[in-house]
Amino acid sequence: MPTVTTYLLRFRGPLHVAERGVGIEETAEFVHSDTLFSALCSVVRLGWGESELQRFLAPFRAGEPSFLFSSAFPFAGSVRFLPKPQLALPSPPPDDARKRLRQTRWVSLGLFQAWLSGELPGDAFAPAAFLPPVAAWLLPSERRALPRSFTRDGIPLWVRDVVPRVAIDRVTNASQVFRSGRLRFGPDCGLFVLVEWRDASWRPLVEAALAELGQLGLGGLRSTGHGQFSLEPGEEIDVPEREQAPGLVTLSLYAPTRSELAAGVLGPFARFDLALRGGWIASPDGASYRRRELRMVSEGSVVARPPGTTVLGQLVDVTPEVMRTVHPVYRYGYAFTVPVDLKE
């Protein structure tokens, strides 16, 4: 049974995670797994050198990743939130809950596990089980575990807002007003990431690099203090074996290999969305260039696991032609999955 470690990212200020939109006005409310892996590689190169980065990347390039990342999702107190899985509910919801369900983006870990097991409790659709300001759904029993700042004073768990800023032209001193989006967390809230260790010898380096990333900052607008966090290792979780499951829910972005596609991971039983991934290269050798774009299966999707097939994904080369002679650029597309039964 694989062991998964939870890491909490407690942000000391706002966070900006670029999203497609106008300028930098948009920000996501979670961090995709490929963004987290790229930031980790950047820190390894900065702190441990180019040769250690190449040693770090070797198992991923060979198709035998030393660990698997989930994306970084919100937590509030002891309640962890995961993306709403694209699964049918175990039983039809009452009519008064249908609108709330359509507006739900996040489900708590307890509700996620109950959903996948096909045994939602009777009070799961009660109005008190929904948190409309953050589009979340949780078990009524978990609501009592939310931070006291929320339950007593109504302070939001997390909120996205837009703030005005000013840029000054260095030559003409002309000013230009623009707006940037940011994500702010309430007390005892932040993001968490799940790591499944396939080669635990890499754990000390990864934890040291994540702690250093917290000092340098994650995401955009780091020059203005965004994205700094304290790293806190959380509990160890045993997760069920995936090899016996006919279906898998993705908790990371997933770039299937050709053989996985040929085997039917995205066949009739799969329910998935695609996320377009692009953006600028975060490297001192090519920061002014854009990665080649690609689409990956997004978090919360359900993919099939045909018998005899290992659903793992791959590291995708997205090096722009102009950087072919400098160094390769990769997108992390390995899948962090949870087993689930699939029904017609």
Side-chain angles (χ1 to χ4, degrees):
M1 180 174 291
T3 298
V4 171
T5 307
T6 304
Y7 292 91
L8 305 182
L9 282 56
R10 298 184 183 276
F11 288 87
R12 296 194 283 270
L15 171 67
H16 174 84
V17 184
E19 249 190 0
R20 296 183 70 86
V22 179
I24 58 174
E25 292 185 1
E26 300 293 335
T27 182
E29 54 187 358
F30 71 106
V31 179
H32 290 291
S33 51
D34 62 341
T35 298
L36 195 60
F37 187 80
S38 296
L40 188 66
C41 290
S42 180
V43 171
V44 171
R45 181 186 182 187
L46 183 64
W48 285 263
E50 178 66 26
S51 61
E52 186 68 355
L53 174 61
Q54 296 306 320
R55 196 173 74 86
F56 175 79
L57 283 173
F60 292 92
R61 284 193 290 233
E64 296 291 339
S66 46
F67 59 87
L68 298 175
F69 261 147
S70 73
S71 296
F73 302 118
F75 74 87
S78 61
V79 181
R80 316 285 189 251
F81 290 98
L82 297 172
K84 185 171 71 171
Q86 297 194 36
L87 284 171
L89 288 166
S91 58
D95 291 341
D96 65 337
R98 294 183 183 279
K99 182 178 180 181
R100 294 192 291 270
L101 287 169
R102 285 196 299 271
Q103 297 172 340
T104 295
R105 178 178 176 85
W106 303 103
V107 298
S108 66
L109 178 59
L111 200 144
F112 183 87
Q113 293 170 326
W115 190 339
L116 266 57
S117 68
E119 298 176 354
L120 285 178
D123 59 354
F125 298 104
F130 294 87
L131 303 175
V134 291
W137 182 22
L138 72 174
L139 296 175
S141 58
E142 292 179 305
R143 192 179 178 107
R144 293 189 289 274
L146 293 174
R148 293 187 62 189
S149 59
F150 172 78
T151 56
R152 184 179 60 188
D153 303 324
I155 295 176
L157 300 178
W158 64 86
V159 62
R160 287 193 288 190
D161 60 14
V162 178
V163 294
R165 302 179 62 196
V166 176
I168 307 296
D169 189 288
R170 294 181 179 178
V171 177
T172 65
N173 285 332
S175 62
Q176 181 176 6
V177 177
F178 65 101
R179 297 159 68 86
S180 63
R182 63 180 185 174
L183 181 67
R184 292 184 293 110
F185 293 98
D188 201 18
C189 299
L191 299 178
F192 76 98
V193 60
L194 302 169
V195 182
E196 178 184 326
W197 299 105
R198 296 163 59 92
D199 181 354
S201 66
W202 286 100
R203 182 168 177 170
L205 174 65
V206 172
E207 291 185 345
L210 283 174
E212 188 63 27
L213 178 62
Q215 299 295 322
L216 298 173
L218 176 64
L221 304 178
R222 295 189 297 276
S223 62
T224 55
H226 288 59
Q228 294 184 336
F229 62 86
S230 299
L231 181 70
E232 181 181 316
E235 67 267 27
E236 304 276 341
I237 305 172
D238 289 330
V239 298
E241 297 283 355
R242 303 179 176 91
E243 283 68 17
Q244 306 301 323
L248 301 164
V249 178
T250 60
L251 297 183
S252 66
L253 292 175
Y254 167 44
T257 64
R258 289 183 182 275
S259 61
E260 290 167 5
L261 288 172
V265 293
L266 301 184
F269 293 108
R271 302 179 184 90
F272 60 93
D273 290 324
L274 296 177
L276 179 62
R277 305 298 291 157
W280 299 95
I281 294 170
S283 163
D285 302 317
S288 59
Y289 301 121
R290 282 185 175 274
R291 295 179 175 93
R292 289 192 294 123
E293 292 185 337
L294 79 159
R295 296 181 188 275
M296 289 196 280
V297 178
S298 64
E299 299 88 345
S301 297
V302 177
V303 300
R305 197 197 67 80
T309 302
T310 299
V311 178
L312 189 60
Q314 61 181 321
L315 202 65
V316 183
D317 188 335
V318 292
T319 310
E321 289 303 319
V322 71
M323 283 193 66
R324 284 290 177 194
T325 58
V326 182
H327 66 68
V329 181
Y330 296 107
R331 276 287 188 194
Y332 177 86
Y334 284 106
F336 188 104
T337 56
V338 177
V340 64
D341 287 328
L342 291 181
K343 299 176 182 177
E344 295 188 36

